[in-house]
Short mmCIF file of all heavy atoms in Angstrom, two decimals:
data_model
loop_
_atom_site.label_atom_id
_atom_site.label_comp_id
_atom_site.label_asym_id
_atom_site.label_seq_id
_atom_site.Cartn_x
_atom_site.Cartn_y
_atom_site.Cartn_z
N THR A 430 97.34 93.05 88.38
CA THR A 430 96.90 93.15 89.82
C THR A 430 97.45 94.49 90.35
O THR A 430 96.92 95.26 91.20
CB THR A 430 97.35 92.02 90.62
OG1 THR A 430 96.77 90.80 90.07
CG2 THR A 430 96.96 92.12 92.06
N ARG A 431 98.84 94.82 90.07
CA ARG A 431 99.39 96.01 90.54
C ARG A 431 98.57 97.24 90.04
O ARG A 431 98.38 98.20 90.78
CB ARG A 431 100.79 96.19 90.13
CG ARG A 431 101.75 95.23 90.85
CD ARG A 431 101.94 95.32 92.36
NE ARG A 431 100.85 94.94 93.13
CZ ARG A 431 100.43 93.73 93.46
NH1 ARG A 431 101.04 92.66 92.95
NH2 ARG A 431 99.44 93.61 94.20
N ARG A 432 98.20 97.23 88.77
CA ARG A 432 97.50 98.27 88.11
C ARG A 432 96.10 98.52 88.82
O ARG A 432 95.73 99.61 89.07
CB ARG A 432 97.36 98.08 86.60
CG ARG A 432 98.62 98.36 85.96
CD ARG A 432 98.56 98.01 84.50
NE ARG A 432 99.84 98.41 83.73
CZ ARG A 432 100.02 98.17 82.45
NH1 ARG A 432 99.18 97.55 81.69
NH2 ARG A 432 101.16 98.59 81.91
N VAL A 433 95.49 97.39 89.07
CA VAL A 433 94.19 97.55 89.65
C VAL A 433 94.26 97.99 91.10
O VAL A 433 93.49 98.86 91.56
CB VAL A 433 93.38 96.12 89.62
CG1 VAL A 433 92.18 96.06 90.60
CG2 VAL A 433 92.96 95.77 88.29
N GLU A 434 95.27 97.56 91.77
CA GLU A 434 95.59 98.00 93.12
C GLU A 434 95.77 99.57 93.20
O GLU A 434 95.20 100.21 93.99
CB GLU A 434 96.80 97.26 93.71
CG GLU A 434 97.17 97.74 95.13
CD GLU A 434 98.42 96.96 95.59
OE1 GLU A 434 99.28 96.67 94.75
OE2 GLU A 434 98.50 96.74 96.79
N ARG A 435 96.56 100.05 92.33
CA ARG A 435 96.76 101.44 92.24
C ARG A 435 95.56 102.27 91.80
O ARG A 435 95.18 103.35 92.31
CB ARG A 435 97.95 101.76 91.29
CG ARG A 435 98.33 103.30 91.23
CD ARG A 435 98.77 103.86 92.59
NE ARG A 435 98.88 105.22 92.47
CZ ARG A 435 98.39 106.11 93.40
NH1 ARG A 435 97.83 105.69 94.43
NH2 ARG A 435 98.62 107.42 93.11
N SER A 436 94.84 101.68 90.97
CA SER A 436 93.57 102.42 90.49
C SER A 436 92.57 102.43 91.61
O SER A 436 91.76 103.33 91.70
CB SER A 436 93.08 101.69 89.25
OG SER A 436 92.46 100.38 89.64
N MET A 437 92.48 101.45 92.42
CA MET A 437 91.57 101.52 93.62
C MET A 437 91.83 102.70 94.42
O MET A 437 90.91 103.38 94.86
CB MET A 437 91.68 100.22 94.45
CG MET A 437 91.29 98.99 93.79
SD MET A 437 91.60 97.37 94.65
CE MET A 437 90.55 97.62 96.03
N ALA A 438 93.15 102.97 94.65
CA ALA A 438 93.56 104.21 95.48
C ALA A 438 93.05 105.44 94.78
O ALA A 438 92.56 106.45 95.40
CB ALA A 438 95.00 104.30 95.76
N LEU A 439 93.24 105.61 93.52
CA LEU A 439 92.82 106.61 92.65
C LEU A 439 91.40 106.93 92.65
O LEU A 439 90.92 107.98 92.75
CB LEU A 439 93.44 106.51 91.25
CG LEU A 439 94.88 106.49 91.02
CD1 LEU A 439 95.28 106.16 89.69
CD2 LEU A 439 95.50 107.79 91.48
N LEU A 440 90.70 105.82 92.48
CA LEU A 440 89.10 105.82 92.59
C LEU A 440 88.72 106.29 93.98
O LEU A 440 87.69 107.08 94.02
CB LEU A 440 88.60 104.48 92.18
CG LEU A 440 88.81 104.01 90.70
CD1 LEU A 440 88.40 102.67 90.45
CD2 LEU A 440 88.12 104.99 89.80
N ARG A 441 89.31 105.82 94.97
CA ARG A 441 88.91 106.21 96.33
C ARG A 441 89.08 107.70 96.56
O ARG A 441 88.37 108.34 97.29
CB ARG A 441 89.66 105.49 97.41
CG ARG A 441 89.19 104.10 97.66
CD ARG A 441 89.85 103.46 98.96
NE ARG A 441 91.28 103.55 98.93
CZ ARG A 441 92.14 102.53 98.46
NH1 ARG A 441 91.58 101.43 97.94
NH2 ARG A 441 93.41 102.71 98.68
N GLY A 442 90.06 108.26 95.76
CA GLY A 442 90.36 109.69 95.87
C GLY A 442 89.46 110.57 94.98
O GLY A 442 89.56 111.80 94.95
N GLY A 443 88.52 109.90 94.24
CA GLY A 443 87.64 110.62 93.46
C GLY A 443 87.91 110.73 91.88
O GLY A 443 87.19 111.37 91.18
#
Side-chain angles (χ1 to χ4, degrees):
T430 300
R431 293 293 70 77
R432 287 176 172 174
V433 167
E434 178 181 34
R435 181 63 187 132
S436 71
M437 290 170 70
L439 297 171
L440 293 169
R441 284 193 304 270

